């Protein structure tokens, strides 16, 4: 008997059952700051749509629970997720009274649990399908396109997050740009400085321990403390070094945020460069010298290509970490999606918090998938290192 | 010609190669033998300056090997390292093309050369050029390693235990192939091994090393007959000496007049193989045929036993 059930499927079905029967699907508030009223799935949707969603979710949960073919599980998870995505929009317009611009409808935890459960199912299927790196990136692009389509179609416009967005479209775009500039810019700076530093550490034994220790210590300073620590010296520089202020260097704002992210990024880049270069087979290095390569040729043609997958793994860590950390930059006026998070916390408006948090999570997730795929593509060839 | 003159290498207190002098004739195969840690690799690597000597000099065709920058010198000398050392991220063709690429050959010339070498080493270009080293067998990796070292047509080829990782059958084949290729190209080969059998089989001359010192540098038969010290004698292996001596000679040189019964043996087989065949089949003599298949006489147990005795 036990063998007919899927273990993960049982968890998914349990979550789905709880979310359908006992948890609220949507929350209705008369305006954006009053406490919300919970609405169940059937209360949130027109009767036909409500029962249809109930049926789809039940069927998908059953598919998950039983041992079913992979393709069926894939179809079930996609159907459930698409139905949830479309119908939460319908719930928004269904619950909002006509011409009422103050009322707010937002997804409640029942909805989020369902999304979580079927994303889990989808992730499990994708893992078991063992997609190639290119297929994974294509899947990601497909998912992004679907999301873009849903947003552009306006079917979510009546949801509270998009209501918050509607009033802030311009600043959303600006802060998004700043967020990316902070995360990617500090990564680029860290790569430009960290790669040569890592190569130097690899070649000069005396330097290695010292540099890595200093970077390790920096890594342990809590981010808020590091932002704070940088305010005083940067403020001093702005006041005393001619031209610094003109360059945008100030005690608060983008400069300290950028610098802090840069400092955090250095350790993974340098450490992975050192580890990657140390992992180059001795025989390959020896052969390179024996064939008459100069130090530079050996570095560019043998050492770096062989260390690349490890170095890229470091870059992946940094990118995902920076996309998350850049949120904190808003605390010292550095901008980014964090602006909405902290405004939202200040105004007790959770929808505004989500407006900042969701794109951050999505970006980090996408960055992780893309870089994992790139790492795999670069390391395919040396699946085994000759002795 | 490689002239090694009073070469010494010290690491701190320890002397790894101690005042070694020897002259290596052009177009010959010189084998350096010795126990592990005796300084063979270090001596070899001082020839192409992967290791800089503490004192002494090495001249290649009369020119001091320090008259060029190290990397330029190494491009002109083939080098096969212990454990082949192929680049794992490069295909077979790219591996072989390494030195020609460093020398700036044009693409067409490189492509032609790579194909020529792959055919020479019995690697079908169509099948193997695009493969990565981990997709090859040990024997194929070894051949690619040698092909890579010969790519730019060097006069001198240094080989550090090139057959160490191969099974006996493949090793034999690889040794025969190398001998044939050496004959054809006329390359001067310096080969390091700790296998006396290989040394006797491959070497025109053998250099025996121990503790960094060159104990004896001589032809194989003289090393066998007149070991310079008890160490050389033990290295040669007392119980193996007669058979090693026989393995140096060809059947054609031991032919006696007269007929014999049975399947003939080829004149270019080794005398050791002939003796083994005689002992195994329990016969006193075997007919010998030359390369054209004509019978030219017989080889006898008595005759071979006489040849296996120490040539005083
Ligand atoms: N870079 C180095 N620094 C210090 N000692 C070294 C170095 N390279 C080699 N040695 C020492 O020199 C001695 C000879 O080494 P070498 O590699 O020449 O021996 P070998 O005869 O090739 O041995 P094997 O048959 O095991 O390869 C060894 O004792 C080794 O420890
Ligand atoms: Mg050695």
């Amino acid at each position: 008997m036990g063998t007919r059930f899927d273990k993960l499927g049982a968890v998914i079905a349990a979550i789905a059952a709880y979310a359908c029967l006992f948890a609220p699907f949507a929350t209705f508030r008369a305006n954006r700051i009053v406490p919300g009223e919970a609405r169940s799935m059937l209360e949130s949707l027109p009767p036909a749509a409500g029962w249809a969603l109930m049926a789809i979710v039940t069927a998908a949960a059953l598919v998950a629970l039983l041992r079913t073919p992979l393709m069926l599980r894939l179809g079930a998870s996609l159907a459930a997720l698409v139905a949830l995505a479309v119908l939460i929009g319908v719930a928004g317009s269904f619950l909002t009274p006509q011409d009422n611009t103050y009322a707010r409808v937002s997804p409640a935890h029942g909805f989020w649990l369902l999304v979580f459960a079927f994303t889990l199912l989808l992730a499990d299927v994708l893992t078991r399908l063992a997609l190639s790196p290119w297929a994974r990136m294509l899947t990601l692009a497909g998912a992004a396109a679907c999301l873009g389509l849903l947003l552009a179609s306006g079917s979510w416009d009546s949801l509270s997050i998009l209501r918050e967005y509607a009033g802030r479209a311009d600043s959303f775009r600006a802060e998004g740009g700043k967020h990316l500039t902070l995360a990617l810019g500090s990564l680029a700076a860290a790569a430009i400085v960290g790669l040569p530093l890592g190569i130097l550490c690899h070649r000069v034994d005396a330097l290695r321990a010292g540099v890595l220790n200093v970077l390790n210590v920096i890594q342990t300073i809590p981010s808020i403390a590091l932002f704070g620590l940088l305010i005083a010296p940067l403020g001093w520089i702005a006041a005393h070094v001619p031209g610094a202020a003109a360059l945008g260097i100030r005690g608060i704002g983008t400069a300290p945020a950028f610098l802090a992210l840069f400092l955090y990024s250095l350790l993974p880049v340098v450490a992975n460069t050192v580890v990657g270069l140390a992992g180059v087979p001795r025989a390959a290095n020896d052969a390179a010298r024996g064939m008459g390569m100069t130090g530079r040729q050996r570095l560019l043609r043998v050492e770096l290509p062989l260390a690349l997958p490890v170095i890229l793994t470091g870059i992946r860590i940094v990118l995902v970490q920076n996309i998350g950390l850049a949120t904190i930059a808003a605390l010292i006026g550095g901008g980014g999606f964090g602006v909405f998070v902290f405004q939202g916390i200040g105004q007790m408006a959770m929808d505004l918090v989500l407006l900042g948090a969701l794109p951050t999570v999505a970006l980090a997730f996408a960055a992780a998938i893309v870089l994992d795929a790139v790492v795999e593509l670069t390391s395919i060839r040396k699946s085994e290192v000759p002795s | 010609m490689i002239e090694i003159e009073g070469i010494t290498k010290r690491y701190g207190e320890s002397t790894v190669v101690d005042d070694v002098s020897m002259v290596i004739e052009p177009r010959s195969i010189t084998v350096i033998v010795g126990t592990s840690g005796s300084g063979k690799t270090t001596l070899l690597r001082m020839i192409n300056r992967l290791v800089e000597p503490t004192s002494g000099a090495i001249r290649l065709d009369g020119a001091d090997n320090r008259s060029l920058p190290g990397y330029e010198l190494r491009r002109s000398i083939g080098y096969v390292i212990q454990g082949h050392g192929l680049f794992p991220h490069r295909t077979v063709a790219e591996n072989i093309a390494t030195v020609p690429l460093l020398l700036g050959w044009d693409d067409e010339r490189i492509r032609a050369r790579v194909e020529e070498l792959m055919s020479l080493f019995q690697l079908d270009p169509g099948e193997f050029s695009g493969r990565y080293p981990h997709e090859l067998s040990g024997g194929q990796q070894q051949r690619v390693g040698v092909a890579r070292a010969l790519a730019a047509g060097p006069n001198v080829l240094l080989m550090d235990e090139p057959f160490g990782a191969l099974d006996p059958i493949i090793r034999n084949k690889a040794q025969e192939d190398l001998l044939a290729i050496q004959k054809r190209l006329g390359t001067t080969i310096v080969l390091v091994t700790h296998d006396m059998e290989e040394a006797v089989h491959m070497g025109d001359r053998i250099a025996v090393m121990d503790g960094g010192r060159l104990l004896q540098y001589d032809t194989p038969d003289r090393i066998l007959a007149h070991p310079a010290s008890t160490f050389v004698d033990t290295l040669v292996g007392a119980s193996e000496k007669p058979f090693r001596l026989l393995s140096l000679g060809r059947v054609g040189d031991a032919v006696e007049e007269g007929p014999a019964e049975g399947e003939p043996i080829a004149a270019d087989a080794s005398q050791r193989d002939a003796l083994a065949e005689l002992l195994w089949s329990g016969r006193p003599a075997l007919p010998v045929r030359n390369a054209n298949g004509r019978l030219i006489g017989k080889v006898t147990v008595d005759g071979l036993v006489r040849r296996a005795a120490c040539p005083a």
Side-chain angles (χ1 to χ4, degrees):
Chain A
M1 216 14 227
T3 56
R4 289 179 50 201
F5 292 108
D6 185 278
K7 269 192 214 134
L8 181 70
V11 176
I12 291 171
I15 297 176
Y18 167 79
C20 274
L21 301 176
F22 304 109
F25 185 70
T27 308
F28 174 80
R29 280 165 302 166
N31 62 54
R32 70 193 278 252
I33 46 179
V34 295
E37 303 156 25
R39 296 278 197 269
S40 74
M41 188 183 284
L42 291 177
E43 291 166 341
S44 311
L45 291 164
W51 286 109
L53 182 59
M54 197 66 108
I56 292 174
V57 167
T58 311
L62 275 176
V63 169
L65 180 62
L66 300 172
R67 300 202 148 211
T68 42
L70 269 189
M71 282 303 151
L72 184 59
R73 299 175 84 77
L74 180 65
S77 60
L78 287 178
L81 286 173
V82 169
L84 283 166
V86 172
L87 290 177
I88 192 66
V90 174
S93 25
F94 180 69
L95 288 177
T96 311
Q98 281 280 303
D99 298 328
N100 180 337
T101 52
Y102 298 109
R104 288 286 190 271
V105 178
S106 47
H109 72 268
F111 170 83
W112 291 120
L113 280 175
L114 286 171
V115 169
F116 170 71
F118 292 108
T119 308
L120 208 60
L121 180 61
L122 181 63
D124 179 53
V125 172
L126 290 178
T127 313
R128 286 206 237 165
L129 280 176
L131 293 179
S132 72
W134 286 113
R136 292 208 301 270
M137 286 200 269
L138 265 179
T139 310
L140 177 68
C146 289
L147 199 66
L149 219 64
L150 270 169
L151 284 170
S153 71
S155 64
W156 282 351
D157 283 356
S158 51
L159 289 178
S160 54
I161 299 182
L162 287 179
R163 289 279 171 101
E164 297 291 348
Y165 169 76
R168 295 178 174 78
D170 286 341
S171 75
F172 183 85
R173 235 166 260 133
E175 299 302 349
K178 261 191 218 160
H179 197 102
L180 279 180
T181 314
L182 268 178
L184 295 178
S186 59
L187 166 67
I192 290 170
V193 174
L195 222 64
L197 193 57
I199 293 169
L200 209 64
C201 286
H202 170 70
R203 299 241 158 146
V204 187
D205 287 343
L207 214 61
R208 184 158 50 231
V211 169
L212 289 180
N213 279 337
V214 169
L215 294 179
N216 256 318
V217 169
I218 293 178
Q219 201 79 5
T220 58
I221 305 175
S223 46
I224 303 213
L226 185 56
F227 285 140
L229 280 177
L230 289 171
I231 290 179
L234 285 175
W236 188 88
I237 290 175
H240 293 86
V241 177
L247 281 174
I249 296 178
R250 284 184 299 144
I252 57 167
T254 316
F258 188 91
L259 194 56
L261 290 181
F262 165 76
L263 289 175
Y264 281 131
S265 311
L266 272 182
L267 178 69
V269 174
V270 174
N272 279 53
T273 307
V274 169
V275 171
L277 290 175
V280 172
R282 241 185 83 145
N285 248 323
D286 208 34
R289 284 188 30 171
M291 300 289 111
M293 289 194 190
T294 60
R296 213 183 125 87
Q297 287 167 333
R298 184 158 57 94
L299 180 69
L300 294 179
R301 300 185 187 190
V302 177
E303 293 188 288
L304 282 181
L306 286 174
L308 191 63
V310 182
I311 296 175
L312 282 176
T313 307
I315 303 259
R316 172 205 187 280
I317 295 173
V318 168
L319 185 55
V320 174
Q321 167 186 294
N322 279 7
I323 290 175
L325 272 181
T327 318
I328 318 246
L331 273 186
I332 50 165
F337 286 130
V339 167
F340 304 117
V341 174
F342 292 113
Q343 270 180 17
I345 292 175
Q347 303 173 4
M348 306 260 286
M350 282 322 283
D351 300 322
L352 193 50
V353 174
L354 284 179
L355 182 65
L358 286 180
T360 310
V361 173
L363 271 179
F365 185 69
I369 291 183
V370 170
L371 278 171
D372 274 341
V374 172
V375 168
E376 203 179 314
L377 282 174
T378 56
S379 49
I380 276 172
R381 289 165 181 180
K382 44 170 287 207
S383 49
E384 188 215 80
V385 171
S387 54
Chain B
M1 186 158 69
I2 306 173
E3 295 162 278
I4 298 174
E5 217 175 81
I7 206 95
T8 296
K9 179 65 189 180
R10 281 193 208 91
Y11 287 111
E13 288 296 286
S14 66
T15 305
V16 172
V17 171
D18 190 1
D19 193 21
V20 168
S21 298
M22 59 197 279
V23 175
I24 294 167
E25 296 299 329
R27 298 167 187 280
S28 70
I29 300 185
T30 298
V31 180
I32 306 175
V33 275
T35 47
S36 190
S38 55
K40 308 180 294 288
T41 298
T42 309
L43 176 60
L44 190 77
R45 287 160 71 94
M46 283 192 284
I47 297 176
N48 67 359
R49 282 177 58 206
L50 279 175
V51 173
E52 296 288 353
T54 311
S55 64
I58 295 180
R59 282 187 298 277
L60 299 167
D61 291 331
D64 194 302
N65 70 351
R66 283 164 298 191
S67 56
L68 286 177
Y71 60 90
E72 273 184 39
L73 173 77
R74 289 190 280 273
R75 287 173 195 176
S76 68
I77 298 178
Y79 182 48
V80 179
I81 73 168
Q82 223 163 336
H84 74 71
L86 295 179
F87 300 128
H89 61 303
R90 299 223 178 150
T91 62
V92 167
E94 288 166 345
N95 262 290
I96 296 178
T98 305
V99 182
L101 212 61
L102 290 173
L103 292 173
W105 290 14
D106 62 60
D107 292 353
E108 187 46 40
R109 186 169 166 209
I110 291 181
R111 205 189 50 73
R113 178 65 178 159
V114 168
E115 275 193 11
E116 180 189 344
L117 277 164
M118 290 188 69
S119 312
L120 186 63
F121 283 89
Q122 296 145 42
L123 294 161
D124 174 24
E127 189 181 346
F128 289 100
S129 9
R131 289 217 200 162
Y132 287 93
H134 74 266
E135 298 167 324
L136 303 177
S137 75
Q140 291 162 345
Q141 290 175 340
Q142 195 271 339
R143 277 180 273 160
V144 175
V146 182
R148 178 176 70 174
L150 290 174
N155 288 329
V156 175
L157 178 62
L158 308 178
M159 309 181 88
D160 197 347
E161 303 197 23
F163 311 117
L166 304 180
D167 67 61
I169 293 178
I170 301 287
R171 181 185 314 163
N172 259 329
K173 167 107 172 64
Q175 289 170 344
E176 294 311 320
D177 289 349
L178 184 68
L179 285 173
I181 287 169
Q182 192 269 343
K183 228 174 233 143
R184 189 161 143 192
L185 303 177
T187 314
T188 308
I189 295 182
V190 185
L191 186 151
V192 163
T193 181
H194 46 236
D195 177 1
M196 194 37 115
E197 180 97 32
E198 184 167 289
V200 171
H201 181 53
M202 306 278 297
D204 295 314
R205 280 178 164 246
I206 296 177
V208 183
M209 287 190 71
D210 184 43
R213 301 238 306 281
L214 179 63
L215 296 185
Q216 190 170 6
Y217 178 47
D218 224 325
T219 54
D221 53 341
R222 287 190 53 85
I223 295 252
L224 290 171
H226 307 288
S229 69
T230 43
F231 177 82
V232 180
D233 203 33
T234 10
L235 200 66
V236 168
S239 63
E240 295 282 346
K241 276 196 287 188
F243 306 107
R244 296 217 158 120
L245 199 57
L246 280 183
S247 74
L248 289 172
R250 302 283 129 192
V251 170
D253 303 327
V255 173
E256 302 166 28
E257 302 219 333
E261 293 295 305
E263 186 68 14
I265 187 165
D268 66 349
S270 85
Q271 295 175 3
R272 179 185 182 157
D273 292 343
L275 181 61
E277 177 61 33
L278 284 165
L279 293 177
W280 193 247
S281 61
R283 287 178 291 175
L286 282 178
V288 178
R289 66 170 155 73
N290 68 8
N292 306 325
R294 217 162 51 83
L295 291 181
I296 54 172
K298 64 177 180 181
V299 59
T300 63
V301 174
D302 288 346
L304 291 177
V305 166
R306 249 177 283 123
R307 283 171 181 274
C310 175

